[in-house]
Amino acid sequence: MAKNHTRYIFSMGELKRKDNSIAFRNEKGNFYIPIQDTRELYCMNEVSFNTKFLDFISKSGITLHLFNYHGNYSGSFYPKEQLVSGDLTIKQSLCFIERRLHIAKAIVRAIALNIHESLYHYFRHGKKDLKQVLDWLKNDLEKLLNKELTIEQILFVEGQVWNRFYDSFKYFLPEDFIMNKRVKRPPDNPINALVSFGNTLLYTKTISSIYETHLNQTISFLHSPREGRFSLSLDISEAFKPIIVFKTIFDLVGKKRIQVTKHFDKSLNYALLNEEGKKIFIDAFETRINETFMHKKLKRKTSFKNCIKLDGYKLIKYIVEEKEFSPFLLKEKM
Amino acid sequence: MKINGTLISYFFICKTKLWLHANRINLEDNSEDVRIGKILHEINESKSKKAEISIDNIKIDKLTRDYLVEVKKSDSDIESVKWQVLLYLYKLKQKGVERKGKIEFIEKNKQDKKIHYIDLDEVNEKELLKICDKIEALINAPVPPTAKFENKCKKCAYYEYCFI
């Protein structure tokens, strides 16, 4: 589906049900959002609504993602589960007990290979300093993962993959975007702000995609299911981070469409995107996630966003039918 | 599990779809054809001024003095519709209601007539019970049968699941 099913609301106002349509009202007047091809609504500012509105979007199968003024994710409202399979939930839990490590390794491998793919682009264009990290991602990592590891060790390997990736930014990003250290909650510099914002957007997209499958959102494999979040979405989104979030960041920063002095909040030491910055980022992010290509296995055109759902299907097949689980790889295009 | 109209038609359409659907991995179908089917159903219902009839776990489009009527969008899969109707006739018969079967197609693509008649007789009743046993056995298998690609797969809601 090439159509974009996502609407973002940036201003303060009120969301209402108006007959069979969604109306957004602020001081500038009424805006109508057609319900038919909307699947997700993102509120990036203070928005009020009532239960009549929630009931309406719930019936229409729309997911609502809420962010506070600072761009931090507050939570999601999604329609009551339509696709519930008790049988699959039981099998998913069993799978966690018996085959957790296998899935966790598959995810880490996919993160590394997708990072490799995105860094290779810069290597090919003359950034030869990347050679060492590329070799490590391709060769050493596979050796590491082939060993017998505990979940803690797998998570440690995953941490190393990301650290080496962040460390390599200095070879191809402009100086003011080089990352010294990944800092979350709250991010302390521009690049961390972009990473946090992008990861959160991807996470919410994944929640909406998993919602379209029968998977239980709370039973995860790489992340601990004890995190009390929809941790399966954290798992599934990992492999897509390098190719969606980071690709968006590299493009915007490389082409100077996002600049430290213009698009970040000065009063907070540039550690938060300002409204214009958010808009530019979301626009590029949406374009990227809706980009279509020929899926090698399905032999039909598909978008990256749809591939997130397809990874859900792969996981179901692994859980139910024991078919090999391998998350989406950019190189294989499947 | 009680056999219903959907299961029996899936038996003829695709065994993988049958297993997945019966084991509650039912995928949503947003295709235009499904929407048309639903609307035809609504139109048909408002015309006859009687809502569809639910008996046990089957839903009957229309019941007249002589006929049990099933309305379909197209005649693309006559065999599956035929057995669906036979199942309904059989269920009705168990309740002591005897009717003949009538199938109305809105579009005739494969056949030259829009209305087909089918009756429950001794031969196809026996066959029907055999099919029901086969369905039972299929859906109780631990894993679904692996899908083999056919032309009809292209427009199926399960396509992505089957061939990923």
Side-chain angles (χ1 to χ4, degrees):
Chain A
M1 268 181 281
K3 232 190 220 165
N4 194 349
H5 300 281
T6 310
R7 318 274 159 185
Y8 288 89
I9 292 167
F10 285 99
S11 45
M12 280 169 78
E14 187 188 6
L15 275 166
K16 280 175 65 172
R17 173 181 185 161
K18 183 82 176 82
D19 302 324
N20 276 325
S21 197
I22 303 171
F24 178 68
R25 192 162 65 186
N26 61 15
E27 68 266 25
K28 283 186 204 144
N30 278 323
F31 300 90
Y32 290 94
I33 303 170
I35 190 122
Q36 189 128 44
D37 29 79
T38 303
R39 297 303 282 268
E40 285 171 294
L41 266 175
Y42 281 75
C43 297
M44 313 303 290
N45 209 327
E46 230 178 276
V47 171
S48 55
F49 40 75
N50 57 18
T51 51
K52 192 172 138 193
F53 169 76
L54 291 177
D55 183 57
F56 178 55
I57 61 164
S58 174
K59 278 203 185 102
S60 321
I62 294 174
T63 322
L64 181 73
H65 300 295
L66 304 168
F67 289 74
N68 67 15
Y69 173 75
H70 298 296
N72 293 325
Y73 175 59
S74 330
S76 301
F77 169 82
Y78 73 41
K80 72 171 183 236
E81 293 269 7
Q82 289 161 338
L83 303 174
V84 183
S85 168
D87 203 35
L88 184 68
T89 303
I90 293 168
K91 284 182 181 152
Q92 199 182 335
S93 320
L94 263 180
C95 199
F96 173 80
I97 294 166
E98 290 166 359
R99 294 182 277 167
R100 175 180 185 186
L101 299 179
H102 186 82
I103 298 175
K105 277 183 179 178
I107 295 171
V108 176
R109 184 176 294 117
I111 300 170
L113 291 177
N114 284 336
I115 286 180
H116 184 280
E117 191 64 14
S118 31
L119 288 182
Y120 192 74
H121 167 85
Y122 293 95
F123 177 71
R124 231 179 26 198
H125 286 85
K127 312 287 183 203
K128 299 298 172 201
D129 293 332
L130 290 167
K131 178 99 178 65
Q132 206 192 345
V133 61
L134 285 171
D135 288 344
W136 186 86
L137 286 167
K138 202 152 209 176
N139 309 322
D140 303 26
L141 185 96
E142 194 51 41
K143 277 181 216 141
L144 272 175
L145 286 179
N146 280 335
K147 289 184 191 153
E148 225 168 88
L149 303 173
T150 62
I151 189 70
E152 288 77 17
Q153 286 167 324
I154 297 174
L155 284 164
F156 179 73
V157 173
E158 188 217 352
Q160 275 196 304
V161 171
W162 288 116
N163 281 337
R164 277 172 196 254
F165 180 45
Y166 301 144
D167 211 36
S168 72
F169 289 4
K170 59 175 178 269
Y171 299 126
F172 60 94
L173 283 190
E175 206 170 323
D176 46 358
F177 278 103
I178 288 171
M179 181 183 266
N180 300 316
K181 206 170 139 237
R182 172 85 178 102
V183 180
K184 301 174 195 174
R185 281 169 269 177
D188 73 344
N189 62 40
I191 190 88
N192 273 313
L194 289 170
V195 174
S196 289
F197 190 59
N199 282 349
T200 308
L201 282 180
L202 182 65
Y203 169 64
T204 55
K205 290 275 176 191
T206 313
I207 290 177
S208 304
S209 295
I210 304 280
Y211 177 73
E212 288 176 39
T213 73
H214 296 73
L215 290 163
N216 185 306
Q217 302 256 18
T218 59
I219 305 171
S220 56
F221 301 91
L222 179 63
H223 294 84
S224 163
R226 292 184 197 90
E227 292 188 31
R229 287 189 279 177
F230 287 153
S231 41
L232 184 63
S233 288
L234 293 172
D235 276 12
I236 301 278
S237 64
E238 288 293 345
F240 291 92
K241 280 182 188 168
I243 52 187
I244 296 175
V245 178
F246 286 91
K247 161 92 173 148
T248 306
I249 294 174
F250 297 162
D251 278 0
L252 289 174
V253 171
K255 289 182 184 136
K256 299 200 167 51
R257 283 183 59 205
I258 284 220
Q259 291 170 21
V260 172
T261 45
K262 268 197 207 156
H263 302 113
F264 290 86
D265 197 333
K266 245 180 242 143
S267 59
L268 289 155
N269 275 336
Y270 305 107
L272 275 183
L273 276 165
N274 63 21
E275 190 174 320
E276 202 197 331
K278 275 185 212 161
K279 278 185 180 164
I280 293 172
F281 189 90
I282 284 173
D283 189 51
F285 180 90
E286 281 291 332
T287 309
R288 175 65 176 170
I289 206 168
N290 288 305
E291 200 179 308
T292 57
F293 54 89
M294 187 55 82
H295 191 284
K296 283 205 181 139
K297 203 163 179 197
L298 292 180
K299 297 193 181 63
R300 56 168 68 164
K301 272 195 132 186
T302 188
S303 63
F304 285 112
K305 192 178 167 203
N306 195 48
C307 284
I308 301 177
K309 186 180 84 184
L310 294 179
D311 270 9
Y313 285 170
K314 286 184 198 160
L315 192 57
I316 298 179
K317 279 190 119 161
Y318 180 71
I319 291 168
V320 177
E321 308 178 36
E322 300 198 19
K323 295 258 163 69
E324 192 52 49
F325 172 70
S326 159
F328 181 79
L329 297 179
L330 185 60
K331 198 171 184 196
E332 318 267 309
K333 288 245 160 66
M334 58 183 237
Chain B
M1 175 158 206
K2 275 191 180 168
I3 311 281
N4 62 21
T6 311
L7 292 179
I8 202 155
S9 70
Y10 284 2
F11 179 80
F12 290 95
I13 294 165
C14 173
K15 310 272 193 282
T16 311
K17 190 173 183 169
L18 170 69
W19 190 96
L20 290 169
H21 177 85
N23 284 279
R24 297 278 179 268
I25 300 178
N26 35 346
L27 300 172
E28 65 181 308
D29 193 332
N30 295 320
S31 82
E32 193 58 20
D33 284 343
V34 172
R35 255 194 65 200
I36 294 172
K38 273 184 190 152
I39 292 168
L40 282 177
H41 181 89
E42 279 166 28
I43 293 171
N44 181 45
E45 220 168 63
S46 62
K47 247 199 232 161
S48 65
K49 290 192 184 83
K50 248 192 233 165
E52 58 172 19
I53 307 157
S54 290
I55 299 167
D56 290 345
N57 56 342
I58 59 164
K59 284 182 178 138
I60 294 165
D61 281 348
K62 205 161 44 173
L63 201 60
T64 66
R65 222 160 54 98
D66 301 312
Y67 291 106
L68 174 150
V69 189
E70 174 73 18
V71 185
K72 287 273 184 233
K73 176 184 164 282
S74 89
D75 60 356
S76 62
D77 215 326
I78 290 203
E79 193 63 10
S80 78
V81 187
K82 212 176 85 185
W83 288 100
Q84 201 177 340
V85 170
L86 287 172
L87 174 81
Y88 296 165
L89 292 174
Y90 175 77
K91 293 248 176 180
L92 280 185
K93 197 179 148 195
Q94 303 229 292
K95 307 255 171 221
V97 183
E98 295 214 25
R99 289 287 194 280
K100 288 172 173 161
K102 182 173 163 186
I103 306 164
E104 290 175 16
F105 294 112
I106 309 286
E107 289 166 18
K108 49 182 172 71
N109 297 326
K110 296 203 169 164
Q111 306 266 320
D112 50 6
K113 48 186 190 208
K114 285 196 168 179
I115 294 178
H116 286 252
Y117 294 95
I118 175 105
D119 296 324
L120 190 68
D121 58 32
E122 228 170 272
V123 183
N124 55 29
E125 187 174 327
K126 240 188 213 155
E127 186 64 26
L128 178 75
L129 294 176
K130 257 194 227 158
I131 290 170
C132 289
D133 284 344
K134 279 188 198 158
I135 293 176
E136 243 1 291
L138 260 170
I139 61 186
N140 285 325
V143 292
T146 306
K148 277 193 218 76
F149 181 79
E150 280 180 61
N151 238 346
K152 62 184 172 191
C153 295
K154 282 189 205 157
K155 56 174 184 175
C156 174
Y158 291 72
Y159 175 84
E160 288 182 330
Y161 178 85
C162 285
F163 299 105
I164 185 71

